[in-house]
Amino acid sequence: MEIVKSDFLISAASRAQYPAGDRPEVAFIGRSNVGKSSIINSLTNRKALARVSNTPGRTRLVNFFLINDSIHLVDLPGYGYAKVSKTERANLERIITEYFEHRRSLDKVILLVDSRHKPTPDDVGMYSYIRRMGIPCLVIGTKLDKLKRNEIRKNEKVIRETLGMHPEDRIIMYSSLSKENREAVLEETFQGLTEKAEAGEEASDQ
Ligand code: GTP
Ligand code: MG
């Protein structure tokens, strides 16, 4: 699917502010600074749809975007940033779990991990949390442009093994900078959702 239109909807501090309705929805989660906001910009071909910064912990609310007038992308706050206070960390955790526990229209989670490093215990915990919730999960190794060609396969294997990934879950290495593998990411991200969006529109027309 190609993205022809993308709009920012809302930065939600709590679930009362989440957009209503049952449009298909895909959420991006991962450690602070892993590249969640950047991937949303690179997939939508927008420079600053989602806010990117060198300061980890930039995204502190649940940001909703509307794609092609029919599908939601969600930029979640990052976890695992060491330099935030205990109170702030608890607050971020609350925002993330509130989203996962209450968002019924969530169809897919994209877990981002840094392609250069072994996933952290936080990453492992997040992957198993997503699996336990039974939501389809795609893993993306970010910052692929920083890897040497001969490291790609090896790092992919380390990520798979460390997360304990189920064989049916896919992993794609991606760079928001060079956009290498963008087609594969778009395909996996929106697979099954365009049909669901169309079915929803027909139902609401009647
Ligand atoms: P938080 O909102 O703090 O959780 O971070 P985030 O996961 O949204 O990360 P963000 O997209 O803000 O990117 C963090 C930093 O990594 C920025 O300096 C980006 O420019 C850089 N970055 C993101 N993706 C890539 C990539 O594919 N390649 C390279 N080289 N840098 C990247
Ligand atoms: Mg961000």
Side-chain angles (χ1 to χ4, degrees), residues 36-38 51-52 58-59 75-76:
K36 299 175 292 296
S37 302
S38 300
R51 285 172 82 182
V52 171
R58 196 80 188 81
T59 312
D75 188 9
L76 286 163

Side-chain angles (χ1 to χ4, degrees), residues 30-39 51-60 75-79 112 142-146 174-178:
R31 264 164 54 216
S32 185
N33 217 39
V34 74
K36 299 175 292 296
S37 302
S38 300
I39 195 173
R51 285 172 82 182
V52 171
S53 150
N54 287 319
T55 323
R58 196 80 188 81
T59 312
R60 294 191 175 186
D75 188 9
L76 286 163
Y79 54 79
L112 306 190
T142 63
K143 311 192 185 183
L144 172 59
D145 54 282
K146 301 234 184 199
Y174 181 65
S175 166
S176 292
L177 211 67
S178 69

Side-chain angles (χ1 to χ4, degrees), residues 129-148:
Y129 178 64
I130 298 164
R131 288 289 315 191
R132 278 202 306 279
M133 287 186 300
I135 304 168
C137 179
L138 167 68
V139 175
I140 292 185
T142 63
K143 311 192 185 183
L144 172 59
D145 54 282
K146 301 234 184 199
L147 288 190
K148 296 191 189 80

Side-chain angles (χ1 to χ4, degrees), residues 75-103:
D75 188 9
L76 286 163
Y79 54 79
Y81 180 46
K83 286 186 191 157
V84 299
S85 69
K86 264 194 179 158
T87 326
E88 178 63 10
R89 185 169 321 177
N91 187 40
L92 289 175
E93 239 180 74
R94 186 189 54 76
I95 292 173
I96 294 168
T97 38
E98 182 180 34
Y99 174 79
F100 283 126
E101 281 169 16
H102 296 278
R103 194 57 170 162

Side-chain angles (χ1 to χ4, degrees), residues 69-81:
D69 290 324
S70 60
I71 296 171
H72 289 155
L73 292 188
V74 178
D75 188 9
L76 286 163
Y79 54 79
Y81 180 46

